[in-house]
Amino acid sequence: MKPLLIFTFIYFNQIIIFAQNVADAESFVSQINTRMLKKDYNGAIQISNMAIRQNPENERLYYYLGAASYELKYYDSAITNYTKAIKICNNSMIFFPMTDEESEINNRFINSAYKLRGYSKFKMEDYLGAISDYDYVIVFDPYDAETYFNRGLVKLLLNQKREGCIDLSRAGELGYSKAYRQIKLYCH
């Protein structure tokens, strides 16, 4: 009986600690959002790093750290942090059961991280890496016109004219009007 009581105490103690970490993380996210809105990206990075020390498995903190790093043109750091956010999210899907709604939110979050990591890879001239990330986004959201557009431009840079023009055309069909200007310039 005594081991069960000890286990129960430890279990509930861990739940309380977890709940406190979640509350702390939400407070940090709010502060980070405020800094991002004010375009204080260095402040957002500082708060993100502090928050990560306390909540190293919170994917949102890495996501925001990636976003602030991107805005400051620290593309290597942005890639690293988006990758960490994706990894944590994927692990949470494996180890923790989710409702359909939670799973959908998680998938949208992962898609966004892949898209933003793709932007960062593009800026680092890792064009194949950017295409790979854009491919992932399109598989899970085949109506993402902006991603078709971006992938099309990258393919044009790699002299994959036919494939790039197909992507630009698809972006236009999905309502991304900028695509038609690029088609006129590069696809005729």
Side-chain angles (χ1 to χ4, degrees), residues 31-55:
Q31 292 175 51
I32 294 164
N33 275 332
T34 300
R35 297 293 175 108
M36 294 291 287
L37 289 171
K38 292 180 179 179
K39 298 185 186 307
D40 177 10
Y41 304 118
N42 285 314
I45 287 173
Q46 187 176 32
I47 294 168
S48 296
N49 284 324
M50 186 171 38
I52 287 168
R53 280 193 291 279
Q54 292 182 22
N55 301 280

Side-chain angles (χ1 to χ4, degrees), residues 59 85-110:
E59 68 277 358
I86 291 165
K87 181 180 178 188
I88 292 169
C89 246
N90 283 332
N91 286 344
S92 69
M93 290 178 73
I94 292 168
F95 296 113
F96 301 106
M98 293 185 180
T99 65
D100 288 344
E101 183 180 339
E102 290 170 331
S103 183
E104 177 63 27
I105 291 167
N106 205 44
N107 285 336
R108 278 186 277 158
F109 179 86
I110 291 171

Side-chain angles (χ1 to χ4, degrees), residues 22-188:
V22 169
D24 290 347
E26 291 306 314
S27 172
F28 282 123
V29 166
S30 176
Q31 292 175 51
I32 294 164
N33 275 332
T34 300
R35 297 293 175 108
M36 294 291 287
L37 289 171
K38 292 180 179 179
K39 298 185 186 307
D40 177 10
Y41 304 118
N42 285 314
I45 287 173
Q46 187 176 32
I47 294 168
S48 296
N49 284 324
M50 186 171 38
I52 287 168
R53 280 193 291 279
Q54 292 182 22
N55 301 280
E57 293 302 314
N58 186 301
E59 68 277 358
R60 290 173 61 199
L61 297 173
Y62 289 99
Y63 181 90
Y64 285 115
L65 184 54
S69 297
Y70 179 88
E71 293 297 334
L72 291 172
K73 298 180 174 45
Y74 303 150
Y75 302 120
D76 276 337
S77 178
I79 291 166
T80 298
N81 287 297
Y82 287 131
T83 300
K84 182 71 174 172
I86 291 165
K87 181 180 178 188
I88 292 169
C89 246
N90 283 332
N91 286 344
S92 69
M93 290 178 73
I94 292 168
F95 296 113
F96 301 106
M98 293 185 180
T99 65
D100 288 344
E101 183 180 339
E102 290 170 331
S103 183
E104 177 63 27
I105 291 167
N106 205 44
N107 285 336
R108 278 186 277 158
F109 179 86
I110 291 171
N111 246 21
S112 179
Y114 269 100
K115 182 187 245 185
L116 296 171
R117 190 175 72 174
Y119 296 161
S120 300
K121 288 179 178 180
F122 173 80
K123 293 290 191 174
M124 294 291 298
E125 298 181 8
D126 176 7
Y127 300 131
L128 295 176
I131 287 174
S132 177
D133 282 352
Y134 295 150
D135 287 345
Y136 181 92
V137 172
I138 288 168
V139 164
F140 289 97
D141 185 2
Y143 302 103
D144 186 331
E146 183 183 22
T147 300
Y148 277 104
F149 177 79
N150 289 330
R151 188 176 73 173
L153 293 179
V154 175
K155 287 179 176 179
L156 289 173
L157 281 171
L158 293 174
N159 294 316
Q160 298 174 6
K161 184 176 179 179
R162 182 178 174 282
E163 295 87 354
C165 291
I166 290 170
D167 278 352
L168 291 175
S169 178
R170 182 69 179 136
E173 291 167 7
L174 292 170
Y176 203 75
S177 60
K178 291 180 183 179
Y180 293 117
R181 285 188 293 247
Q182 300 303 315
I183 289 170
K184 282 183 184 178
L185 287 171
Y186 300 109
C187 298
H188 294 291

